[in-house]
Amino acid sequence: MNASSLIKLLSNETNLEILSVLRSGSFNPRELARILGRDGTDVSRRLRAMERAGLVEGKWMRIRGKTSRYIPSRLKTSG
């Protein structure tokens, strides 16, 4: 990902809100959408873009018999 694409991701208010919520815990896209009052599809799309940029790292987890994608509270850091 080039620098201008990364800057575009980080300059978007909704993306910054998502990253801020993720600092407080692990959430799946549906939970994030509910917390932020946003559409679940939009949040999932944004998370995929942030994952491609290396800003977050999603994990698949099985909880209460359901497999869901969760974004851990520990944001991905370089290094």
Side-chain angles (χ1 to χ4, degrees):
M1 171 162 282
N2 62 38
S4 65
S5 296
L6 184 59
I7 290 169
K8 185 176 177 180
L9 278 174
L10 291 174
S11 65
N12 181 277
E13 186 176 334
T14 302
N15 292 344
L16 292 176
E17 288 175 355
I18 290 170
L19 292 172
S20 178
V21 171
L22 287 174
R23 290 176 54 122
S24 68
S26 298
F27 300 94
N28 68 35
R30 186 177 304 151
E31 291 169 330
L32 283 169
R34 182 182 46 78
I35 290 166
L36 297 169
R38 310 265 323 168
D39 178 68
T41 303
D42 178 53
V43 170
S44 292
R45 180 183 55 80
R46 291 172 183 278
L47 286 169
R48 279 192 305 274
M50 286 188 268
E51 191 167 15
R52 282 192 304 271
L55 296 173
V56 299
E57 185 175 54
K59 296 185 184 285
W60 288 97
M61 299 173 68
R62 189 159 183 83
I63 298 174
R64 292 185 289 259
K66 291 184 177 182
T67 302
S68 295
R69 186 175 182 97
Y70 276 83
I71 309 299
S73 61
R74 188 171 16 122
L75 297 177
K76 185 175 180 180
T77 58
S78 60

